[in-house]
Structures are given as C-alpha cells and as structure tokens.
Amino acid sequence: MDPTDTTAPGDLAAEAARRDAADPLAAVRDLFALDDGVTYLDGNSLGALPRSVPGRMAEVIEREWGELRIRSWEESGWWTAPERIGDRIAPLIGAAPGQVVVGDSTSVNVFKAVVAAVRAAQAAGTGAGADAGTAGHAAGAGAGAGAGAGESGAGAVRRDEVLVDAATFPTDGYVAESAARLTGCRIRAVAPGDMAAAFGPRTAVALINHVDYRSGRLHDLPGITAAAHAAGALVVWDLCHSAGALPVELDAHRADFAVGCTYKYLNGGPGAPAYLYVRRDLQPGFDSPLPGWNSHADPFGMESAYTPADGSVRGRVGTPDILSMLALEEALTVWDGVSVEAVREKSLALTDFFLECVAHHVPPGTVESVTPAAHPERGSQIALRCPGAGAVMRELTRRGVVGDFRRPDVLRFGFTPLYTSFADVERAARILGDVLADERRA
Amino acid sequence: MDPTDTTAPGDLAAEAARRDAADPLAAVRDLFALDDGVTYLDGNSLGALPRSVPGRMAEVIEREWGELRIRSWEESGWWTAPERIGDRIAPLIGAAPGQVVVGDSTSVNVFKAVVAAVRAAQAAGTGAGADAGTAGHAAGAGAGAGAGAGESGAGAVRRDEVLVDAATFPTDGYVAESAARLTGCRIRAVAPGDMAAAFGPRTAVALINHVDYRSGRLHDLPGITAAAHAAGALVVWDLCHSAGALPVELDAHRADFAVGCTYKYLNGGPGAPAYLYVRRDLQPGFDSPLPGWNSHADPFGMESAYTPADGSVRGRVGTPDILSMLALEEALTVWDGVSVEAVREKSLALTDFFLECVAHHVPPGTVESVTPAAHPERGSQIALRCPGAGAVMRELTRRGVVGDFRRPDVLRFGFTPLYTSFADVERAARILGDVLADERRA
C-alpha cells in the first residue's frame, strides 16, 4: 500500500461498481461461461468459453458429422469454412474481405508468411522474375507480380536478411530461422524500438509482434511498416496479443502479411486454428512454401501440377480441422454489434484501473510494472515483475484469481474487455495485495 | 448381371446375413452412429461418428475449457495430448511407443518428413556433419546422427533427388516439390511398381502412398523400403488409405518416416489432426523445417535459441488444436480389443464379396474394377471405372448408398471393417445395379 494514498478502504470497490454500471460492454460478459466466482485474467492465454459454443458443437458433431457425414463438406459449408471464418475475423483486424484465411497453427502460418515474404521481397527488389524458375517450381507463383513494397533502388543487392523482433515469442524466432535457412537468408535480431531504423537494402522481411507477449508493450505498426516499405522490405506482423483487444487496421497502414492465433482475445478454444492475412495486391505473388491441395485452383481436379488458387484461399494447405474451426466460428458471434474501438477504450480503462488498484492494495516495493504507462505503447495486459512470481501466481490461483506466470519473474494479467469487469480488476489487485502481505509476514 | 451367373435371386442377401452372423467384428458397428438406413461406404474419406464422441466433447468443452480453462493444459492432459494420442495410434501401424506424434495436417507432416529425410539422407550419404552448420542453424540437429540408412558407398555424390509416387494424392506431390525446391533437390515421378528399381546414389528420399487413393492398390512397403535402404536412401510412407484398414508394421520393416490422416479409417472426425512417425533411431537426427515452440526441449523456458526436444515430441510445432485432437482420442476407443489382423481379414472378405455381388447385380460391361484382384495388392476399397460416374454416384447417394466419385470416371467404395456389414455390401451392389439398369433403359 502506498502510504501517500488517501483513498479510503472500499472506495476502489465502489468505484469499480460505478464503472461496471456505466460499461457499454457489460452485457457481453453474459455471453460467456464465467459464473463460477473465479476472477479470470488469463484470456490473453486462453479465452473463456462463449456460452453458445457447446450447443453449436453438439449440432456439428451429432448432425453434421454423425448424420450428414461426407455430405457436410458441401451441405454444411465445411469446405469454405477457412475463408468464411477469415472474413469474420477480418473486420477485427481492419482488413477488407478476401484477405484472411483460417487454418493451421500460428507457427505454421509464420513459416508460410516469412518464406513468401522473402520471395516477394527478392522478386521485387531485384526486378520481377529474377528468381523465378530456379528450382523447378511448376506454378507461376515465383515471380514477384504484385509485391507492393517500394523499390529499394539497389537492384544489384540480393535481399537476404530477415529481421526478427529480439524479444519475440520464441516460436516466431525458431520458425523465422528455419525459413531463413531454407531460403538462404540470415537472421538478425533487432529490438522493436530500433526496428524502423534497421531496414537496409539487404532486408527482405521483418517479423514483429504487435504486442509483446511478456511485457504487454504495443509496437508501432504504422511507423515500422512505413519504414520497411521505404527501404523496399516487407513486414510480417504477429497479432496474437493484439487482435481482439485493440484496433489493428492492417489495410489502413498497408501492412503486408499478418498472422495470429484465435484462442486468446478471440475466444476460439484451446489451440483453435490461426489465421493468415495477405494484403490483396500481394496475393498474386504469394508463393507459399506449403502448397497443399486445399490451395489448388481446382482441388478436386486432382492434378499432378500445382496451380495456386487466387485470393486468400492460396494460404490454405491441407484438410481443415473442422471441429476446432467451427467452434471458433461460433465463438466469434460474441462480436456481433461490438466495435473494436469500444473494446480498446475499455481495455485502457481496465489496465489503468488495475495499476491504480495495485498502487493502493499491494505493499510498496513488492511489484513493478513492466508494461508501458503510456497508452499508445500498451496492449491489454499488465505484467508485474515480482520476486517469487511462480509461487505468488500459484497462491493467487488458489484464491480464485487466475493470471499466468512467465519466467523468470513476471506475473501476467490479461484484460479481455468483452468479459472482464472492473470488479474483477479491483478484486485481483486486492487479493494480490493480500498474498504479498501474507508472504511478507511469513 | 453376368449371364453365366447361376446364383439365384436372394442367395447373395442370404449369404450376407450368414456372414454378418459369423462376423467377430459385428458388435463393433454398434459403437458407431449408423442407424439411419444409409449404406455408408465412404469411410475412406470421412469415417463415421463413434457414439461416445459427443458426450466426451461436451465434457471437454463445458468442463475442461469452460470451467478449468487454462488449468486444463496441465490438469486435463492437454499439453501431452499429441504424443499420448500418437502412442494410441502406434499399435495400429505397427510402431512401438514413442515414435508417433499427432498434430497439423497430413500435408504439413509430409513437408516435415520430406525435408527432414533429405537432410538425414544427405548427412548420412556424404559423411556425418558434412552439411551441418551451413545455414546458421542453432541446434545440433543438422548432422546425420542416427540416420539409419545404409551407406551408399558413393560419398562424393550429393543426394539431391526426391522420388515421388507418380500416381500420388496431389498434395503429396505439391508439398514434395516445395520441399525439394527449398532444399535444392529435384523431383522425379516414378510409378510405385518401378520404385524399388529407381533408387540410385543421388536419391535422398522417396515419398510413396501405401495404398493409392484412387485405385485402392496396396504398394509393397517392405520391398520398397529395403530397396531404398540398400541404396542409402530413405522413404516417407503416406498411410492415409491404409492405417486402420490393414497391418502396416512400420517397425518390423524398418520404415523410416510415415505420415497419415486420422479422419478416414481412424474415424477421428472431419479434418482431425494427422500424425507423424519417425523411427526411433532417426529421431536424434530429425531436423524439422518447422521447429515451433512445442518441440523445444524446454517450451516454457521461452528461450530465444532453439534446442529440440528428444523423441516424438520433436515433430510438434505450434499449439495443438485440442478440440479436434480430443475428439480423435475418444474415437480411438472403438479399437479397444480389436486386432488389425481381424480387420484385414474382414476387409478382404468385404471387398471380395462386393466384387462378387457387383458381378451378379450390375449389367455386364457397365463397370470395370481398377482395384487389383490379388489380395496382397489390395487396400480396403473397390474403385470401379464407370462412364458417367459423377451422375451415377449422385443417384446412388439419393438412394441411400454413399461412396464417392473421383474424376474423371471412378466410383470409389470404401469398406471400413469396424462398421461395414456384408448386408451393406450386398445392398450397395444391388442398388448400383438398379441405377445402372435404369440408366441403360432411360
């Protein structure tokens, strides 16, 4: 507790109640299964269950699979689910229809995007078609038709550098390294704050997290994208920790490629399929390293030569996992009538209020926020550095406040504006204060 | 109808009833939702729904996701599902535990296996370590430690050839071509019957379907594998159309890598995750092109350098799609107490009986089987070439017999020994005969 804090006991709880009563998103919480008394602040790891999902999944399993069986690929719309659900996600990330496709894991989509971006940047940067036909590729997808990045002006230099967010969620780094190895590129790790200045004539692509998974820092998508384009490079944005929590506006900022998961703020369920965004004018040149039969122009023609489909479908690979995908589709109905701008406004109010409650309830010197205070640099989580964070989170969970622990010493609290209440926020900070006070006494 | 056929009307139906009464697997059919009067012979495209799946999925969604939420990754065993379910599939394909992991689509697993096989064959064929460290790869997985293929004796020749089954299901060919392009190899299409003779000192790997998806021909896994090893090459087997229908015996024949889907004879549900088999002694050298955080030795360490896990886990990539995966796990319970040998015995009896019924019921000259008559060359389907096959299958479906159509002129009937009865077989052939006779009259 901050000794200079003059807030009376109970004031913050009363304030939380006032804010919840005035919250235009308050009713959305009722769409989720959250009536067990637990304060759930881990929606940035696994979103809560939308109440309509169980009924829909019973129908999918018993009627569509159990009775219609194979006919459901056509009659129940299974075959077109990846692009249909992609179009359902599109407005949440500021994308016009036809640019987002759902399927595979985030890691696999990072691989598609980074390899395709390297190819597009190389084709654009050294003259269209310079790299085409060097490896017996059957389709006409190798040349850089439509790679929309600005020309670097240094046509003689091969673009062979992949920049990676130095603080990235690990899978992005591992996959980018594999993509670089397979395309003859080298990797350079760059702090996101230094990224805009790091693009050079050899840079093919940068892979950056929009919001850092650990600190919750929001990176400058418009600025970094513009800097990349000025240098003739492309950017792959990882939206795992931003989509569904704040406006992304991919189209408005001419983002090139983006990937994201759907089981955090989009509440699609454990391991729900990820998505891939390819900006429309980059689609004709999108040369995927995973050209499965689902991305063929005529998948049931069963042709031995690969001819890629047009549009977002080109990002598909194998047979989509329908159960996980249709659970996601149903989960997305909670967004009906909800604007991302309203979500962002509440998100900032929740995180501000959490910091205020922590300052009041938690013994001084026990925690330190590593999430930026400035709104333009903050995602929808608060990360607190805390000695013994692992044990503290176990005790918090035992007392009904669920966040998560990230090694070595970070308590991570995610705020999902669709269902997190201000009362949740106040309670979490209060119980965190209790746990830390008890620990200090022990 | 064959004019020399002396079978009396009704004899075949009586024979079907006799065989069903004597079928040791007859009771297994009751474990499936198949009481709608439809004769379902498309289990080689989408397996029928096991009755216990809806209840289990309600529990997974409402209890594990809805109530336990993030705790289920540990408490409900979500995190270890890929290798646990892999071990459940292992006995069905003749693999000892610890060599099979579930996740991603078949196409994505083909990509992992072919790239890793090229790397392993190159490392083994040119001396261990020859290719290591050329591309900035952080982990020690590049060298051919444990590549178990025989040495070719021609250490100076780079293995840069990928052989592909010339009649392959298209996705395998597309993905193999991408894998070859990314690893600097070239592709050569070879008919499976010529494959054993095609291996040479430049062959790195062959990708072959165990059973051809169109004709139902069963290829010689032991012979082709032995021929590959004698030439210092490796083989990736695609088991989509054999696993669950006949004994595969991967370990016994020292198969190197295998992939397969789980939504056909394994009844895992639409788009259920695929699996990857890596023979145990090849695992230490398994150098995946998709090294996601799930295959890291310490996934929650969040380290920036990739250190691959040991064992089958190395085949994992991103967060597993839990809903589809746990539906598959439940679906596999129908195999309790069932031997693959009994399944094979019934499968051959079903396909023989179908050919007998077709010979009796179908107007002469209207169809021709393209599935081998010899048992050692037959999978668990019968493919009939038939003019106007697309329209014929639509009419069959309308009359309650579901198979599928493969362009340009193939009627495909799959026989799933766990639930297909001899009565189904007789009815399907009889109604096919009716449809073709009506068509002839029209």
Side-chain angles (χ1 to χ4, degrees):
Chain A
M1 198 174 304
D2 177 354
T4 67
D5 182 355
T6 58
T7 311
D11 278 7
L12 287 170
E15 173 65 16
R18 271 192 300 275
R19 292 189 183 211
D20 282 328
D23 174 15
L25 295 177
V28 181
R29 180 186 175 100
D30 296 337
L31 302 177
F32 291 86
L34 281 167
D35 44 12
D36 56 358
V38 171
T39 296
Y40 189 65
L41 299 181
D42 207 11
N44 55 335
S45 189
L46 176 64
L49 171 67
R51 284 186 200 279
S52 68
V53 168
R56 171 63 183 142
M57 291 311 291
E59 181 186 29
V60 168
I61 294 171
E62 294 174 47
R63 168 71 183 155
E64 298 185 5
W65 173 14
E67 296 178 13
L68 298 178
R69 301 187 196 98
I70 194 72
R71 293 164 51 192
S72 275
W73 281 107
E74 188 172 341
E75 294 177 30
S76 302
W78 289 356
W79 183 261
T80 52
E83 50 270 24
R84 182 178 71 242
I85 303 171
D87 280 345
R88 190 75 185 76
I89 292 172
L92 303 180
I93 55 177
Q99 302 175 103
V100 180
V101 68
V102 171
D104 304 309
S105 65
T106 305
S107 303
V108 169
N109 282 298
V110 167
F111 184 75
K112 295 176 203 169
V114 172
V115 171
V118 165
R119 289 170 172 172
Q122 289 181 344
T126 57
D131 275 5
T134 55
H137 186 57
E151 297 290 324
S152 69
V157 178
R158 183 165 178 271
R159 293 190 176 272
D160 62 357
E161 180 183 68
V162 175
L163 305 183
V164 178
D165 177 344
T168 188
F169 186 77
T171 213
D172 294 45
Y174 309 157
V175 171
E177 187 165 304
S178 174
R181 176 185 176 192
L182 286 163
T183 55
C185 292
R186 63 204 162 83
I187 285 277
R188 187 154 62 95
V190 177
D194 301 330
M195 194 65 84
F199 294 104
R202 299 191 65 156
T203 309
V205 56
L207 172 64
I208 314 168
N209 297 270
H210 193 200
V211 170
D212 184 86
Y213 77 102
R214 196 191 307 252
S215 69
R217 179 180 291 274
L218 171 63
H219 297 133
D220 178 14
L221 186 147
I224 293 173
T225 301
H229 291 178
L234 299 167
V235 182
V236 177
W237 286 98
D238 182 332
L239 308 180
C240 283
H241 286 271
S242 63
L246 51 90
V248 177
E249 298 179 47
L250 292 176
D251 285 352
H253 301 302
R254 284 191 64 70
D256 305 302
F257 304 92
V259 301
C261 78
T262 62
Y263 46 77
K264 300 182 189 291
Y265 297 108
L266 300 184
N267 312 299
Y275 58 86
L276 170 69
Y277 163 91
V278 179
R279 199 182 64 222
R280 191 178 305 279
D281 60 297
L282 292 174
Q283 289 175 350
F286 184 74
D287 186 5
S288 174
L290 292 170
W293 74 295
N294 271 233
S295 63
H296 196 283
D298 181 18
F300 292 95
M302 303 286 167
E303 294 168 14
S304 59
Y306 179 68
T307 307
D310 290 333
S312 65
V313 172
R314 193 177 291 191
R316 290 176 62 164
V317 186
T319 305
D321 51 338
I322 291 297
L323 301 190
S324 293
M325 201 165 278
L326 298 189
L328 165 62
E329 184 172 37
E330 181 61 30
L332 290 169
T333 61
V334 300
W335 290 92
D336 290 346
V338 172
S339 80
V340 178
E341 289 68 28
V343 163
R344 174 62 168 167
E345 191 177 340
K346 183 174 172 187
S347 163
L348 290 171
L350 288 166
T351 49
D352 275 345
F353 188 56
F354 183 68
L355 290 170
E356 183 182 346
C357 292
V358 165
H360 179 77
H361 287 309
V362 169
T366 51
V367 301
E368 174 199 7
S369 173
V370 296
T371 301
H375 285 182
E377 296 172 17
R378 188 193 299 168
S380 198
Q381 70 177 58
I382 296 294
L384 301 177
R385 188 167 289 141
C386 172
V392 170
M393 187 51 74
R394 277 194 299 279
E395 180 60 18
L396 270 176
T397 300
R398 205 184 63 75
R399 299 191 196 185
V401 174
V402 177
D404 63 20
F405 161 56
R406 284 291 173 260
R407 292 189 212 165
D409 61 356
V410 167
L411 300 171
R412 207 175 63 154
F413 299 96
F415 300 88
T416 302
L418 296 183
Y419 56 73
T420 303
S421 68
F422 291 89
D424 284 334
V425 167
E426 192 276 334
R427 178 168 183 261
R430 181 162 35 84
I431 294 180
L432 173 62
D434 292 347
V435 169
L436 293 172
D438 289 354
E439 200 175 56
R440 182 167 283 193
R441 277 192 290 273
Chain B
M1 197 175 302
D2 177 354
T4 67
D5 183 355
T6 60
T7 311
D11 278 9
L12 288 170
E15 174 63 15
R18 272 194 299 276
R19 292 188 183 211
D20 282 328
D23 174 15
L25 295 177
V28 181
R29 180 187 175 98
D30 297 335
L31 302 178
F32 290 87
L34 280 167
D35 44 12
D36 56 359
V38 171
T39 296
Y40 190 67
L41 300 181
D42 207 10
N44 56 336
S45 190
L46 176 64
L49 171 68
R51 285 187 199 280
S52 67
V53 168
R56 171 62 182 141
M57 290 312 290
E59 181 186 28
V60 168
I61 294 171
E62 294 174 46
R63 168 72 182 152
E64 297 184 5
W65 173 14
E67 296 178 14
L68 296 178
R69 304 187 195 96
I70 195 70
R71 292 164 50 191
S72 275
W73 282 107
E74 188 173 342
E75 292 177 32
S76 302
W78 290 355
W79 184 260
T80 53
E83 50 269 24
R84 180 178 74 241
I85 304 171
D87 279 345
R88 190 75 184 75
I89 292 171
L92 304 179
I93 55 176
Q99 301 175 104
V100 180
V101 70
V102 171
D104 304 310
S105 66
T106 305
S107 303
V108 169
N109 282 296
V110 168
F111 184 75
K112 295 177 203 169
V114 173
V115 171
V118 165
R119 290 170 172 172
Q122 290 180 343
T126 55
D131 275 5
T134 57
H137 187 55
E151 297 291 325
S152 69
V157 178
R158 183 164 178 269
R159 293 190 177 271
D160 61 359
E161 181 183 67
V162 174
L163 305 183
V164 176
D165 178 345
T168 187
F169 185 77
T171 214
D172 294 45
Y174 309 155
V175 171
E177 187 165 305
S178 174
R181 175 185 177 193
L182 286 164
T183 55
C185 292
R186 63 204 161 85
I187 285 277
R188 186 153 63 95
V190 177
D194 302 331
M195 194 66 84
F199 294 104
R202 299 191 65 155
T203 311
V205 57
L207 172 64
I208 314 170
N209 297 270
H210 193 201
V211 170
D212 184 86
Y213 78 101
R214 195 190 308 250
S215 69
R217 179 178 290 275
L218 172 62
H219 297 134
D220 178 14
L221 185 147
I224 294 173
T225 302
H229 291 179
L234 299 167
V235 183
V236 177
W237 286 98
D238 182 333
L239 307 179
C240 283
H241 286 272
S242 62
L246 51 91
V248 177
E249 298 180 46
L250 292 175
D251 285 353
H253 302 302
R254 286 192 62 71
D256 307 301
F257 303 92
V259 300
C261 79
T262 62
Y263 47 77
K264 300 181 188 292
Y265 297 107
L266 300 183
N267 312 299
Y275 56 86
L276 170 69
Y277 163 92
V278 179
R279 198 181 66 223
R280 189 178 306 280
D281 59 298
L282 292 175
Q283 290 175 350
F286 184 73
D287 185 5
S288 174
L290 291 170
W293 74 294
N294 271 233
S295 64
H296 196 283
D298 180 18
F300 292 94
M302 304 287 166
E303 294 168 14
S304 60
Y306 180 67
T307 307
D310 289 334
S312 65
V313 173
R314 194 178 290 192
R316 290 176 61 164
V317 186
T319 305
D321 51 337
I322 290 299
L323 300 189
S324 293
M325 202 165 276
L326 298 188
L328 165 62
E329 183 172 40
E330 181 61 30
L332 290 169
T333 61
V334 301
W335 289 91
D336 290 346
V338 172
S339 81
V340 178
E341 289 68 27
V343 162
R344 174 63 167 167
E345 190 177 341
K346 183 175 173 188
S347 163
L348 289 170
L350 289 166
T351 50
D352 276 345
F353 188 56
F354 183 68
L355 289 170
E356 184 183 345
C357 292
V358 165
H360 180 76
H361 287 307
V362 170
T366 51
V367 301
E368 176 200 4
S369 173
V370 296
T371 303
H375 285 182
E377 297 173 15
R378 189 194 298 168
S380 198
Q381 72 178 56
I382 296 293
L384 301 177
R385 189 169 287 144
C386 173
V392 170
M393 187 51 74
R394 277 193 299 278
E395 180 59 18
L396 271 175
T397 301
R398 205 185 61 77
R399 299 191 195 186
V401 175
V402 178
D404 63 22
F405 162 56
R406 284 290 173 260
R407 292 189 213 165
D409 61 354
V410 167
L411 300 170
R412 208 175 63 153
F413 299 95
F415 300 88
T416 303
L418 296 183
Y419 57 73
T420 303
S421 68
F422 290 91
D424 284 334
V425 167
E426 193 276 333
R427 178 167 183 264
R430 181 159 37 81
I431 294 180
L432 174 62
D434 294 346
V435 169
L436 293 172
D438 290 352
E439 200 174 59
R440 181 168 285 195
R441 276 192 291 275

